[in-house]
Amino acid sequence: MLKRRIFLIPVFVITTLTFTYCTGKPELSRTEFALGTVCSVTLYDKGNPAIYRDIFSRLREIENYMSVNLPDTDVARINAAAGVAPVQVHDDVFKVIQKALYFAEISGGAFDPTVGPLVSLWGIGSENPRVPSQAEIDAALSLINWRDVELDKEQRSVFLRRPGMALDLGAIAKGYAADEAAVIIRKAGLKQAIIDLGGNILVYGEKKDKSPWRVSVQDPLEDRGRSLGVITGPEATMVTSGVYERFFEADGQQYHHIFSPFNGYPADTGLLSVTIISKNSIDADALSTAVFVLGYEKGRALIEPLEGTEAVFVFNDQSVRKTEGANLKINNNSYILIPD
Ligand code: FAD
Ligand code: MG
């Protein structure tokens, strides 16, 4: 069980950064609120403010297309037209939904972008979260099925077949946004950068001294910045899904925000968190959620055949397991790495 209410993201174990936030001057790092979370970008080549501006406006653009918390986004329009008519969407939205359906398929529906009715019902992260009745959960479950999303490539349109269905891209859109931020960094010809979108981390390029990147894995039971271990390696993305990101308490129980589309409750598979290491952040984001819902054995079976994809599993009893290629060192006595 969690010891306290925390809201956090994996934090870097990288040398002290001097923060020079002066308009017009090169900045080492910039932090802004976007996509419902704290987003930080560090451009080691002393990013010029125009690049930060481009990155953060791209993040906001993606939010404005994909949020379910804003009116008139493409996703809000798709949901409003559920059971009625297909809705034409921006390229970004179409691509993310296509990917979401792919991950729904390969995860056997553990990841399901039509989880919207359950998210609204529980209200976790909203001002009024609550434990719904079984009848309400059953009603929401009857509306969840990724196979009822119709895509039309020619029209670039999306149709939810049944009224009441609702997309929620919260488990995948931040990954896409991190990849898109990396595209801007690449185009600008920068050499090293870190993108941190509330738990979606992307380390870009090579460090000047050629040493590997070091990214810490958050201790899911402690405050922000307390790590359980460090992952080292080259350019990659590391995305974590965990019980600690968003939750509420009722009657002495804690309920977190990652739902099992099979029973309508917060997924309870004995895991505190799952971190996926991969090349693309969109993949890592979808997979971290999928694996969290599937649990260790099925989740590992999903990850192992995927090239360039590794995972770290943290269990309720504070034991840790990892796939072979995950370069993790535990640095916290409360956790034990179980060898294969
Ligand atoms: P992840 O594991 O990556 O995703 C969990 C989230 O995905 C859940 O919160 C739920 O939304 C959804 N989900 C739950 N179970 C499943 C499942 N089985 N399959 C698929 N999806 C599932 N937060 C705010 O508080 N206010 C906002 O206005 C807001 N706007 C946002 C706009 C955008 C475009 C995005 C991408 C996010 C926004 N968020 C907002 C944050 C959003 O709620 C986060 O994505 C959320 O905190 C989950 O991210 P995570 O990385 O912790 O967990
Ligand atoms: Mg995710």
Side-chain angles (χ1 to χ4, degrees):
M1 274 293 124
L2 303 177
K3 288 180 190 155
R4 60 187 81 162
R5 182 146 183 20
I6 37 177
F7 214 84
L8 50 95
I9 41 188
V11 179
F12 286 91
V13 189
I14 301 183
T15 42
T16 328
L17 302 178
T18 357
F19 196 88
T20 52
Y21 195 133
C22 307
T23 321
K25 285 197 191 149
E27 300 166 30
L28 185 51
S29 187
R30 189 184 280 195
T31 300
E32 291 186 15
F33 198 79
L35 301 158
T37 191
V38 178
C39 299
S40 298
V41 178
T42 304
L43 305 176
Y44 284 95
D45 328 62
K46 298 255 169 53
N48 108 28
I51 303 173
Y52 283 110
R53 205 176 46 233
D54 288 351
I55 293 171
F56 282 98
S57 24
R58 183 73 176 119
L59 299 184
R60 296 225 158 73
E61 183 175 50
I62 291 169
E63 179 172 5
N64 288 332
Y65 292 161
M66 300 187 201
S67 177
V68 285
N69 300 96
L70 299 172
D72 297 331
T73 65
D74 282 3
V75 172
R77 291 190 305 112
I78 295 168
N79 292 349
V84 179
V87 171
Q88 254 196 358
V89 296
H90 290 91
D91 247 354
D92 292 312
V93 180
F94 198 82
K95 273 193 237 164
V96 172
I97 296 174
Q98 263 182 324
K99 272 274 190 176
L101 296 179
Y102 166 74
F103 284 107
E105 181 161 19
I106 68 164
S107 69
F111 175 94
D112 191 324
T114 66
V115 77
L118 266 183
V119 175
S120 315
L121 183 61
W122 283 83
I124 298 174
S126 77
E127 279 176 15
N128 300 304
R130 67 182 180 93
V131 182
S133 69
Q134 191 58 48
E136 289 174 305
I137 290 176
D138 292 343
L141 282 175
S142 74
L143 293 167
I144 296 171
N145 191 346
W146 60 274
R147 292 178 197 275
D148 285 334
V149 182
E150 272 178 33
L151 297 187
D152 182 333
K153 254 191 191 168
E154 306 251 296
Q155 296 293 319
R156 241 202 302 106
S157 69
V158 184
F159 179 49
L160 304 181
R161 284 201 190 116
R162 289 174 293 136
M165 286 182 73
L167 289 177
D168 182 311
L169 302 179
I172 189 167
K174 275 189 290 167
Y176 179 69
D179 289 333
E180 288 300 293
V183 168
I184 294 172
I185 289 166
R186 186 170 303 118
K187 278 191 187 149
L190 302 185
K191 298 281 188 302
Q192 322 58 51
I194 301 170
I195 300 155
D196 176 352
L197 311 182
N200 283 245
I201 313 280
L202 191 152
V203 286
Y204 178 89
E206 208 177 38
K207 284 167 77 182
K208 274 203 178 101
D209 62 4
K210 311 279 184 220
S211 64
W213 292 103
R214 293 162 54 77
V215 177
S216 71
V217 179
Q218 174 65 41
D219 177 343
L221 299 176
E222 288 296 342
D223 287 340
R224 178 192 292 256
R226 284 285 299 275
S227 73
L228 67 83
V230 177
I231 295 170
T232 47
E235 176 174 288
T237 182
M238 291 87 174
V239 179
T240 301
S241 282
V243 295
Y244 55 91
E245 295 280 359
R246 260 164 208 238
F247 63 89
F248 77 105
E249 292 184 6
D251 305 326
Q253 275 260 26
Q254 275 159 344
Y255 299 92
H256 64 76
H257 69 140
I258 304 169
F259 297 105
S260 159
F262 309 121
N263 66 16
Y265 279 83
D268 182 10
T269 52
L271 291 165
L272 290 174
S273 73
V274 173
T275 300
I276 302 292
I277 307 157
S278 140
K279 287 198 174 66
N280 299 314
S281 206
I282 188 168
D283 295 4
D285 196 1
L287 286 169
S288 69
T289 309
V291 171
F292 188 92
V293 173
L294 286 171
Y296 173 66
E297 276 164 19
K298 288 186 185 156
R300 186 161 181 158
L302 173 66
I303 293 300
E304 298 232 271
L306 302 177
E307 213 196 308
T309 308
E310 305 294 339
V312 172
F313 311 86
V314 182
F315 296 85
N316 288 344
D317 66 0
Q318 294 179 266
S319 62
V320 180
R321 289 178 183 268
K322 66 177 190 71
T323 53
E324 206 183 336
N327 217 339
L328 170 80
K329 266 226 162 87
I330 300 284
N331 62 8
N332 180 326
N333 290 337
S334 306
Y335 291 85
I336 302 171
L337 183 63
I338 312 284
D340 277 331

